[in-house]
Amino acid sequence: MMNLWIETLLDWIYPRRCLMCGRLLTVEERHICLPCLMDLPRTTFHLHPENLMEERFRGIFPLERTAALFLYEKGAAVCNIIYSLKYHDQPDIGVFFGRLLAWDILDSGFFEGIDCIIPVPLAPGRLRERGYNQAAMIARGVSSKTGIPVLETHLVRTRENPTQTRQSVRGRFENAERLFEVRHPEELAGKHVLLVDDVVTTGATIRACADALMACPDIRFSVLSLGCTY
C-alpha cells in the first residue's frame, strides 16, 4: 500500500506518459498505455517461419528461427519506443519490452534449444555516450522471462562506424563489413545463439555479427528484435 501511495505521488509530481500516444499513464501502466499496447502492430513472425525477417537471412548463415515484436515504419508511433530507448536515457524501456516480447512468444516454443543470448554490441564511443547498450537491455528483459543467459563479452565491435540511419542498402552492408570480433570462440562451439537487436532493417548488422561468430564450429542462430521494417 505504501509503494502504491509513493508511485501515485511520483506520478503527480513527475507525470509519466505513454511512449506512443502521450496519454498520462495510470499507476499500473509502464511506458505504454493499455490501448496502445493492444494496438501494437505485432508481427507474429514466431508463428510463421517463412516471414520477411527470415527472408533477409535465408541461406546466409545457419538460421533456426526469427521473431520481432512489432512492425517498424518510419514516422509511426512505435518509433517513439525505439527513439526513447536509444536517446532519452531510459534503459528500462529495453528491459520492459524485452520481457513483453518474450512473454508474447514464450508458449510458441521459440526459445526451445537456445543456449545463450548475444546482443548486438554497441560502438565503444556510443556506449560511453549513452551509458548502456539498448540491445543488451532488451536481451536482459528476454533473459528474465526465459532464464537463458546473456553473453555480453563474447562478441565485440572492433571499430567505430558511421550511423546506419541515412545509409543506402548497399552502404549499410559495406558499413557493417568486418565490424565485429568473437572472443572465446571455443565456448560457443556447437551452441544455438540468439542474436538480439533493437530494429532489423536490411539485416546488415545481424549478418555481420553472424559472420564473425561463424568462427565458432557448428554454431547456429536465431534472431530476435523489437522492431522489423517492411
Side-chain angles (χ1 to χ4, degrees):
M1 180 65 72
M2 179 60 72
N3 287 339
L4 181 61
W5 182 85
I6 292 173
E7 289 182 8
T8 302
L9 179 62
L10 287 173
D11 279 350
W12 182 76
I13 300 173
Y14 305 106
R16 298 176 302 114
R17 294 185 177 275
C18 173
L19 293 172
M20 289 182 64
C21 71
R23 185 180 69 82
L24 287 174
L25 297 176
T26 66
V27 174
E28 293 80 13
E29 294 170 333
R30 292 289 180 273
H31 303 301
I32 186 172
C33 68
L34 183 57
C36 286
L37 180 61
M38 299 302 292
D39 287 340
L40 271 178
R42 286 175 165 81
T43 68
T44 67
F45 288 166
H46 59 290
L47 301 177
H48 305 92
E50 295 185 0
N51 56 67
L52 63 84
M53 183 190 286
E54 187 270 346
E55 290 175 1
R56 292 171 195 177
F57 307 122
R58 186 187 303 156
I60 305 299
F61 52 80
L63 180 65
E64 298 285 324
R65 297 182 283 275
T66 60
L69 180 59
F70 51 74
L71 292 170
Y72 183 92
E73 183 178 6
K74 187 176 181 180
V78 292
C79 295
N80 295 333
I81 295 172
I82 302 299
Y83 189 86
S84 296
L85 168 61
K86 294 174 70 171
Y87 303 116
H88 287 177
D89 192 24
Q90 298 187 65
D92 53 314
I93 291 175
V95 176
F96 174 85
F97 282 97
R99 287 174 182 158
L100 177 63
L101 173 53
W103 178 264
D104 267 13
I105 68 177
L106 198 58
D107 291 340
S108 70
F110 180 89
F111 297 105
E112 291 180 6
I114 292 176
D115 298 298
C116 59
I117 304 171
I118 295 183
V120 171
L122 195 62
R126 290 181 196 153
L127 182 59
R128 287 191 298 270
E129 180 181 345
R130 192 168 297 163
Y132 59 90
N133 175 3
Q134 69 274 6
M137 297 301 107
I138 297 166
R140 292 177 191 179
V142 172
S143 177
S144 71
K145 283 294 182 185
T146 63
I148 301 171
V150 179
L151 306 181
E152 297 187 42
T153 60
H154 284 65
L155 186 67
V156 297
R157 193 175 291 246
T158 57
R159 59 181 171 84
E160 302 279 352
N161 66 309
T163 179
Q164 298 273 60
T165 305
R166 296 180 178 85
Q167 294 278 346
S168 65
V169 173
R170 180 177 177 179
R172 285 174 183 260
F173 282 102
E174 292 176 346
N175 194 25
E177 286 182 350
R178 295 179 296 279
L179 195 58
F180 303 100
E181 179 181 288
V182 62
R183 304 279 173 85
H184 313 295
E186 70 283 354
E187 296 180 7
L188 296 175
K191 301 295 186 183
H192 181 178
V193 173
L194 178 62
L195 292 173
V196 172
D197 205 359
D198 52 356
V199 177
V200 170
T201 51
T202 62
T205 304
I206 290 290
R207 287 175 62 169
C209 288
D211 185 58
L213 288 164
M214 288 289 286
C216 310
D218 301 318
I219 195 170
R220 59 197 191 281
F221 304 93
S222 287
V223 178
L224 191 69
S225 67
L226 289 189
C228 180
T229 60
Y230 292 96

